[in-house]
Amino acid sequence: KQEVTQIPAALSVPEGENLVLNCSFTDSAIYNLQWFRQDPGKGLTSLLLIQSSQREQTSGRLNASLDKSSGRSTLYIAASQPGDSATYLCAVLPSASGTYKYIFGTGTRLKVLA
Amino acid sequence: NAGVTQTPKFQVLKTGQSMTLQCAQDMNHNSMYWYRQDPGMGLRLIYYSASEGTTDKGEVPNGYNVSRLNKREFSLRLESAAPSQTSVYFCASRFTQYEQYFGPGTRLTVT
């Protein structure tokens, strides 16, 4: 059964620091992986989607990488800002799910200190 | 485009009461999903609809029913609410192979 883990559960960094958030999954047979941001009391906002055939995706200060063989994805945030403070979640779509059932990690709560 | 909309935003129910959570999307997506989010448990899939006219169980379907009314709308019904169903409920939609988009959520408390 596919399991998705995000460590650490919480992280505090000073403004301006570059940082990496981690997402691990137990079964490398995935269709794609998606990173989300969730602000307190709000819904999830899609950040980046990486298909299984891709190694990375970039959007502005964000870069997500995927290494299926090791079961890992990282979200790199450059020059962090207080506005980046939120919970970041990753979700994988297992190949065996018929391309419909995503499995979510429990998230990393990020606080960027001014 | 409004994206994914959900109603109501908040609801308090007594044990045994019933209610329907509404979800609509205007992005012409074929797949729609209902999740619940609980502290420490992450998001868990309740039901999904791969396309209009089809629905399937997710990880935690007990106590819920769904209806895919048309391509735009996917509702979630609690027939007899229980305190264990206190949660935040999210609807999401997606076009095959592409990213999921989420609604703002419904915060449900069952007393």
Side-chain angles (χ1 to χ4, degrees), chain B residues 2 9 25-26 33 39 41-42 47-49 54 56 58 73-74 78 81 93 99-100:
Chain B
K9 286 188 169 50
Q25 53 90 11
D26 62 1
Y33 304 79
M41 301 287 290
Y47 271 94
Y48 69 98
S49 171
T54 69
D56 277 293
E73 298 172 288
F74 189 38
L78 287 70
S93 70
E99 55 206 295
Q100 284 187 96

Tab-separated table of all heavy atoms in Angstrom, chain B residues 2 9 25-26 33 39 41-42 47-49 54 56 58 73-74 78 81 93 99-100:
chain	number	residue	atom	x	y	z
B	2	ALA	N	-15.030	30.839	-11.490
B	2	ALA	CA	-15.085	30.734	-10.046
B	2	ALA	C	-14.229	29.575	-9.556
B	2	ALA	O	-13.896	29.505	-8.396
B	2	ALA	CB	-16.520	30.539	-9.585
B	9	LYS	N	-20.180	27.042	3.965
B	9	LYS	CA	-18.807	27.185	4.482
B	9	LYS	C	-18.698	26.606	5.882
B	9	LYS	O	-17.659	26.073	6.254
B	9	LYS	CB	-18.406	28.657	4.498
B	9	LYS	CG	-18.118	29.224	3.129
B	9	LYS	CD	-17.552	30.625	3.216
B	9	LYS	CE	-17.002	31.124	1.894
B	9	LYS	NZ	-17.903	30.976	0.770
B	25	GLN	N	-18.054	22.909	-10.100
B	25	GLN	CA	-16.852	23.416	-10.777
B	25	GLN	C	-17.238	23.898	-12.171
B	25	GLN	O	-18.124	23.317	-12.813
B	25	GLN	CB	-15.748	22.351	-10.816
B	25	GLN	CG	-16.155	21.003	-11.384
B	25	GLN	CD	-15.972	20.844	-12.878
B	25	GLN	OE1	-15.341	21.677	-13.531
B	25	GLN	NE2	-16.508	19.751	-13.419
B	26	ASP	N	-16.558	24.960	-12.608
B	26	ASP	CA	-16.864	25.537	-13.914
B	26	ASP	C	-15.697	25.413	-14.874
B	26	ASP	O	-15.556	26.229	-15.798
B	26	ASP	CB	-17.312	26.994	-13.760
B	26	ASP	CG	-16.235	27.873	-13.156
B	26	ASP	OD1	-15.113	27.368	-12.867
B	26	ASP	OD2	-16.491	29.073	-12.951
B	33	TYR	N	-13.937	14.940	-6.671
B	33	TYR	CA	-13.526	14.218	-5.464
B	33	TYR	C	-14.114	14.877	-4.212
B	33	TYR	O	-14.284	16.100	-4.172
B	33	TYR	CB	-11.995	14.259	-5.320
B	33	TYR	CG	-11.245	13.733	-6.506
B	33	TYR	CD1	-11.059	14.518	-7.643
B	33	TYR	CD2	-10.704	12.453	-6.500
B	33	TYR	CE1	-10.367	14.037	-8.744
B	33	TYR	CE2	-10.014	11.965	-7.599
B	33	TYR	CZ	-9.859	12.756	-8.714
B	33	TYR	OH	-9.170	12.276	-9.805
B	39	PRO	N	-6.971	16.709	11.832
B	39	PRO	CA	-5.627	16.961	12.370
B	39	PRO	C	-4.839	15.668	12.522
B	39	PRO	O	-5.334	14.687	13.075
B	39	PRO	CB	-5.929	17.597	13.733
B	39	PRO	CG	-7.285	18.190	13.573
B	39	PRO	CD	-8.036	17.272	12.655
B	41	MET	N	-4.152	13.461	10.449
B	41	MET	CA	-4.542	12.365	9.552
B	41	MET	C	-4.356	12.738	8.085
B	41	MET	O	-4.455	11.901	7.206
B	41	MET	CB	-6.021	12.000	9.771
B	41	MET	CG	-6.343	11.570	11.173
B	41	MET	SD	-5.701	9.946	11.540
B	41	MET	CE	-6.753	8.922	10.540
B	42	GLY	N	-4.112	13.984	7.800
B	42	GLY	CA	-3.992	14.395	6.415
B	42	GLY	C	-5.328	14.379	5.714
B	42	GLY	O	-6.387	14.297	6.342
B	47	TYR	N	-15.140	9.745	-1.474
B	47	TYR	CA	-15.694	9.238	-2.729
B	47	TYR	C	-15.099	10.046	-3.866
B	47	TYR	O	-14.654	11.168	-3.687
B	47	TYR	CB	-17.226	9.415	-2.766
B	47	TYR	CG	-18.034	8.283	-2.207
B	47	TYR	CD1	-18.448	8.298	-0.880
B	47	TYR	CD2	-18.419	7.218	-3.014
B	47	TYR	CE1	-19.218	7.258	-0.358
B	47	TYR	CE2	-19.193	6.174	-2.509
B	47	TYR	CZ	-19.580	6.199	-1.178
B	47	TYR	OH	-20.346	5.173	-0.674
B	48	TYR	N	-15.145	9.453	-5.039
B	48	TYR	CA	-14.768	10.192	-6.228
B	48	TYR	C	-15.683	9.817	-7.383
B	48	TYR	O	-16.369	8.778	-7.345
B	48	TYR	CB	-13.292	9.986	-6.584
B	48	TYR	CG	-12.947	8.593	-7.070
B	48	TYR	CD1	-12.841	8.317	-8.420
B	48	TYR	CD2	-12.687	7.575	-6.153
B	48	TYR	CE1	-12.510	7.047	-8.860
B	48	TYR	CE2	-12.358	6.302	-6.586
B	48	TYR	CZ	-12.267	6.045	-7.945
B	48	TYR	OH	-11.937	4.786	-8.372
B	49	SER	N	-15.668	10.668	-8.407
B	49	SER	CA	-16.440	10.426	-9.620
B	49	SER	C	-15.504	10.630	-10.804
B	49	SER	O	-15.041	11.749	-11.037
B	49	SER	CB	-17.616	11.397	-9.691
B	49	SER	OG	-18.247	11.308	-10.954
B	54	THR	N	-20.766	8.272	-12.968
B	54	THR	CA	-20.054	7.219	-12.230
B	54	THR	C	-19.567	7.757	-10.898
B	54	THR	O	-19.172	8.915	-10.788
B	54	THR	CB	-18.832	6.693	-13.014
B	54	THR	OG1	-17.836	7.720	-13.067
B	54	THR	CG2	-19.205	6.263	-14.410
B	56	ASP	N	-17.350	6.186	-7.180
B	56	ASP	CA	-16.655	5.061	-6.561
B	56	ASP	C	-16.203	5.436	-5.164
B	56	ASP	O	-15.953	6.605	-4.875
B	56	ASP	CB	-15.432	4.650	-7.391
B	56	ASP	CG	-15.812	3.738	-8.526
B	56	ASP	OD1	-16.237	2.603	-8.264
B	56	ASP	OD2	-15.723	4.198	-9.678
B	58	GLY	N	-13.830	5.775	-1.907
B	58	GLY	CA	-12.437	6.041	-1.611
B	58	GLY	C	-12.006	5.280	-0.374
B	58	GLY	O	-12.461	4.169	-0.118
B	73	GLU	N	-21.562	19.307	-11.057
B	73	GLU	CA	-21.929	19.232	-9.649
B	73	GLU	C	-21.752	17.832	-9.048
B	73	GLU	O	-22.119	16.828	-9.670
B	73	GLU	CB	-23.386	19.673	-9.482
B	73	GLU	CG	-23.645	21.102	-9.908
B	73	GLU	CD	-25.120	21.432	-9.907
B	73	GLU	OE1	-25.847	20.937	-10.804
B	73	GLU	OE2	-25.549	22.176	-9.002
B	74	PHE	N	-21.223	17.829	-7.813
B	74	PHE	CA	-20.955	16.567	-7.104
B	74	PHE	C	-21.290	16.822	-5.647
B	74	PHE	O	-20.614	17.601	-4.980
B	74	PHE	CB	-19.479	16.206	-7.296
B	74	PHE	CG	-19.094	14.844	-6.810
B	74	PHE	CD1	-19.919	13.746	-6.950
B	74	PHE	CD2	-17.836	14.649	-6.230
B	74	PHE	CE1	-19.535	12.486	-6.525
B	74	PHE	CE2	-17.442	13.387	-5.805
B	74	PHE	CZ	-18.286	12.310	-5.945
B	78	LEU	N	-24.644	13.273	4.203
B	78	LEU	CA	-24.535	12.571	5.475
B	78	LEU	C	-25.958	12.245	5.899
B	78	LEU	O	-26.752	13.149	6.174
B	78	LEU	CB	-23.863	13.440	6.541
B	78	LEU	CG	-22.363	13.682	6.435
B	78	LEU	CD1	-22.015	14.582	5.264
B	78	LEU	CD2	-21.852	14.267	7.744
B	81	ALA	N	-25.753	12.045	10.846
B	81	ALA	CA	-24.445	12.534	11.253
B	81	ALA	C	-24.012	11.981	12.607
B	81	ALA	O	-24.838	11.814	13.527
B	81	ALA	CB	-24.468	14.063	11.298
B	93	SER	N	-11.570	18.933	-8.158
B	93	SER	CA	-11.854	18.454	-9.513
B	93	SER	C	-10.580	18.438	-10.326
B	93	SER	O	-9.592	19.087	-9.984
B	93	SER	CB	-12.922	19.334	-10.188
B	93	SER	OG	-12.417	20.617	-10.487
B	99	GLU	N	-3.610	18.692	-13.022
B	99	GLU	CA	-3.608	18.904	-11.583
B	99	GLU	C	-5.011	19.013	-11.014
B	99	GLU	O	-5.953	19.370	-11.697
B	99	GLU	CB	-2.811	20.162	-11.251
B	99	GLU	CG	-3.279	21.394	-11.975
B	99	GLU	CD	-2.161	22.398	-12.133
B	99	GLU	OE1	-1.687	22.917	-11.107
B	99	GLU	OE2	-1.767	22.650	-13.287
B	100	GLN	N	-5.097	18.712	-9.724
B	100	GLN	CA	-6.340	18.863	-8.984
B	100	GLN	C	-6.508	20.311	-8.534
B	100	GLN	O	-5.533	20.951	-8.139
B	100	GLN	CB	-6.315	18.014	-7.713
B	100	GLN	CG	-6.517	16.541	-7.917
B	100	GLN	CD	-6.646	15.833	-6.595
B	100	GLN	OE1	-7.748	15.576	-6.117
B	100	GLN	NE2	-5.532	15.514	-5.987
